[in-house]
Structures are given as structure tokens and as C-alpha cells.
Amino acid sequence: MGVQDLVYWLLSKPAVSRTLSRTGMRSGFAHRFVAGETLEEALAASQRLAAGGRRVCLNHLGENVAGEEQARAAAESYVEMLRQIRQRSIDGNIAIKLTHLGLDLGRDLAIQLAGGIAAQARELGLSVEIDMESSEYTSVTIDVFEAVRRKFDNVGMAIQCYLRRSEDDLKRLEPLHPKIRLVKGAYREPPNVAFQDKAEVDQNYARLLDRLLDGPFFPAIATHDPQLVDYAERRIANKKLAPDRYEFQMLFGIRRDLQNKLRAEDHPLRIYVPFGTEWFPYFMRRLVERPANTLFVLRSLAAEGFFAGKRH
Ligand code: FDA
């Protein structure tokens, strides 16, 4: 059993995940990757990042809502985020997850709600990025994106380089000239769907980045991998790409050293700032990416007496 399997196994134990969700914000370890539970905390974090010359992408954490009412409430919260970003003159946009907007209940609802958010964003002069979720949602996410993007050019989406299909997806998206946030991919996928080997994922990242840089896209280079960042910087310099034609993106709390380096070199950088009470699945994806991260969680739990049998 690898470390990742062990983490997944531990998380399947309700006592472990219950304790983590309950104690994460209080004992502080969730703050490593999540700006807070409220919009106010996320806006404060965004203002601090903006003072350091970063753009932000705010995300209200949540996925796979069970009913239409929750989906509509999520859509409302995104619109409020847009209003607050504009009101406080923050250089930012928002990221949405379609399963947070009721994708499991039907694509029409997701198109309607995502379209409503895009319309509001356009009115405020802001933009929206659609996150990519696990592979069962890839096709339908692209369908929804295409439907919304045909009406609103202020909408972009994420594409995952670990998926074998992604090169074809980029070809399909070319006619829309969209902003594409290129990521490696954060979900657990089977070998027939996704490359499993880091070297293969990295190779595909470079290949798809070339396609973005050479094609009719606005590339958002979303990785903390220093080698890929280096590769992108070289390609950008060779192409003499102006800073308004691309951006780098990184996640809140990850590789601040690399974030500082990019800013020192005057590259545009956007930080993805997640917040909300539903932070647990996002937090777990960050944990599984770097098994070393589990150490600081285990330390916090130990400090709270979890292993001594104290339940909170
Ligand atoms: P890689 O995992 O190889 O890490 C490179 C280096 O970064 C590591 O050596 C380490 O130093 C640091 N690092 C990476 N992850 C870390 C962590 N969790 N903790 C501490 N250090 C870490 N995924 C997805 O499926 N759908 C999406 O919509 C998005 N959206 C998104 C937006 C943005 C702005 C970013 C940066 C990433 C995403 N992702 C995502 C997540 C992405 O798919 C991927 O899981 C992570 O970015 C980690 O991969 P890296 O490219 O950083 O490389």
C-alpha cells in the first residue's frame, strides 16, 4: 500500500474525516490551503495578495449539491462574490464548479446558473473560470462551457493534462478562442483515462502548453512545478509574448517562493483563493498531492489529543 492509498484509506474512515472537518479551522491546519470559512476572510486574504501584486481567483468551496435550492444558493453566493470584488476594486475573478451549480441534477440547470453568473460578471466587467472536476464530468463540463461561452466571452475553463483525451478537447475548443487554465489534474483516475506516471503527465503538460501558446487561446499556466514554470517562461520569452496575453496561476498557500520569483520577474500571477465551510474535499486533494502534508495534520491532531482517544 502506497502513502496515497493509506491516506485514501484513512479518509474513508468516518471518524477520521469527521474529526478533521470539525477541528481543521479551529486548530489552524486548514488555513494552510483555505483562506477561511467566510467571504469576508477570503476578501481580506485577496486584498493582502493584491497588495503584493497578485491577481486572485475566488472560489466558494462546494461540490455535488443534492438539490436545486442549494444550487441556486451557490449561484447567488458567486454573484455576491463578484459584487464584492468590484466594490472593493480587487483585481480578481471567480472560479465555479458545475456540480456546485447542480450539474448532477441536469445540464440545463448548470447552463442556466453558470450563464446567469457569467452575465452578472460581464455587467461588472469581470470574468469567470470553470473548474474541471473528475473525469465522469469532463464531457458534460465542456458541453456546458461551450453553451455558455457562445454567449459570454468572459468565461474560461480548466483542462487537465493527466487525461488522455485533453489534446482532442483543446482541438475542439479552438474555435471559441477561450482562456484555458492548464492544470495537471487532481482526482484519482484509472489508467485507461489518465496517465499515471508523473513523467508522462509532465510531458503532456508541456505538449498542451505548446498548443495553447501557439494556438488561439489565452493560456493560464496553473502549476507549481518549477521545471514546467521554467519551460513556460522560456517559451514566453522566445515568442516575445506580451504580459496581457498569458498569466501564471498558483493555489493559495502553495510554493510562495515560486510565486515571489514570478512576480519579481514581472510575470502576471493569479492566486486561486478558496474559502467556505465545505473545505474538506479540496483540502484532502491538496493533502494527497503531497503526502508530506499529512505530517502537519497528524501533528495538529496529536496536539488536540486525537490519538490519545480524546474525541471532539
Ligand atoms: P506537482 O504536483 O508536480 O507539484 C510541483 C511542486 O509543487 C511540488 O514539488 C511541490 O513543491 C509543490 N506542490 C504541489 N502541490 C502541493 C501541495 N498540495 N502541497 C504542497 N506543495 C505542493 N485540478 C483540477 O483537477 N481541476 C481544476 O480545476 C484545478 N484548478 C487549479 C487551479 C490552479 C490555479 C492550480 C495551481 C491548480 C489547480 N488544480 C486543478 C490542481 C492541479 O490539477 C494539481 O493537482 C496541483 O496544481 C498540483 O500539481 P502541480 O502542477 O503543482 O505539480
Side-chain angles (χ1 to χ4, degrees):
M1 193 189 253
V3 179
Q4 287 200 343
D5 294 321
L6 181 67
V7 174
Y8 279 118
W9 178 79
L10 268 174
L11 296 178
S12 70
K13 305 284 148 211
V16 175
S17 48
R18 260 202 316 271
T19 305
L20 288 176
S21 333
R22 222 177 19 241
T23 58
M25 284 291 168
R26 196 181 62 218
S27 67
F29 62 76
H31 283 288
R32 165 86 162 75
F33 300 123
V34 179
E37 291 196 329
T38 64
L39 174 58
E40 205 48 54
E41 288 172 286
L43 291 166
S46 299
Q47 279 165 327
R48 285 193 294 274
L49 289 164
R54 279 96 164 130
R55 303 167 180 169
V56 295
C57 179
L58 280 188
N59 175 247
H60 185 192
L61 293 165
E63 39 202 90
N64 298 104
V65 295
E68 189 170 329
E69 213 173 294
Q70 283 169 274
R72 291 192 183 279
E76 256 312 302
S77 79
Y78 284 121
V79 170
E80 179 57 20
M81 284 153 66
L82 289 165
R83 285 197 202 106
Q84 290 298 328
I85 288 172
R86 175 47 69 231
Q87 210 169 311
R88 297 178 198 215
S89 305
I90 294 171
D91 187 356
N93 66 5
I94 62 165
I96 59 179
K97 277 194 174 52
L98 294 182
T99 68
H100 199 192
L101 297 176
L103 187 59
D104 292 319
L105 309 168
R107 79 175 60 192
D108 288 349
L109 179 62
I111 291 175
Q112 186 201 356
L113 296 181
I117 293 167
Q120 291 281 338
R122 189 165 67 183
E123 229 166 77
L124 293 165
L126 299 173
S127 64
V128 178
E129 297 180 20
I130 298 182
D131 287 348
M132 188 55 90
E133 301 178 65
S134 60
S135 62
E136 67 190 286
Y137 297 110
T138 311
S139 292
V140 68
T141 298
I142 294 176
D143 293 346
V144 172
F145 171 72
E146 283 179 332
V148 176
R149 167 79 200 190
R150 276 191 206 104
K151 289 198 198 148
F152 302 101
D153 65 0
N154 57 333
V155 182
M157 75 176 293
I159 287 287
Q160 298 156 323
C161 298
Y162 66 4
L163 293 187
R164 296 177 187 276
R165 57 177 286 166
S166 288
E167 187 156 15
D168 290 337
D169 289 335
L170 282 187
K171 275 185 213 152
R172 168 175 164 187
L173 291 166
E174 248 180 41
L176 292 169
H177 299 196
K179 174 177 187 174
I180 297 290
R181 181 206 301 155
L182 198 62
V183 302
K184 286 194 186 177
Y187 298 80
R188 204 180 203 201
E189 302 290 356
N192 61 323
V193 169
F195 301 113
Q196 307 289 309
D197 188 31
K198 174 172 162 54
E200 276 186 298
V201 177
D202 292 356
Q203 239 170 39
N204 205 37
Y205 196 107
R207 186 161 53 234
L208 299 191
L209 179 59
D210 284 343
R211 191 170 259 283
L212 289 187
L213 289 169
D214 297 334
F217 298 99
F218 181 98
I221 306 146
T223 179
H224 319 91
D225 187 326
Q227 279 173 349
L228 287 169
V229 168
D230 254 17
Y231 178 73
E233 284 192 278
R234 270 184 275 124
R235 289 282 345 256
I236 287 163
N238 286 342
K239 285 184 80 70
K240 298 190 173 40
L241 207 57
D244 61 349
R245 303 287 306 282
Y246 70 94
E247 69 184 13
F248 285 92
Q249 293 192 354
M250 292 194 192
L251 297 175
F252 181 80
I254 298 188
R255 290 303 302 253
R256 276 168 284 212
D257 57 328
L258 208 48
Q259 298 180 12
N260 292 337
K261 173 185 171 295
L262 285 172
R263 282 306 298 136
E265 293 165 350
D266 275 340
H267 286 294
L269 173 66
R270 188 181 299 275
I271 306 299
Y272 186 99
V273 180
F275 74 95
T277 53
E278 306 287 310
W279 53 266
F280 191 66
Y282 174 88
F283 180 80
M284 285 303 132
R285 286 195 287 276
R286 303 291 77 82
L287 219 56
V288 169
E289 263 157 17
R290 295 282 291 169
N293 288 340
T294 47
L295 279 180
F296 80 88
V297 174
L298 292 176
R299 261 189 241 118
S300 307
L301 287 178
E304 292 233 337
F306 182 70
F307 300 110
K310 215 162 109 195
R311 296 291 186 271
H312 305 270

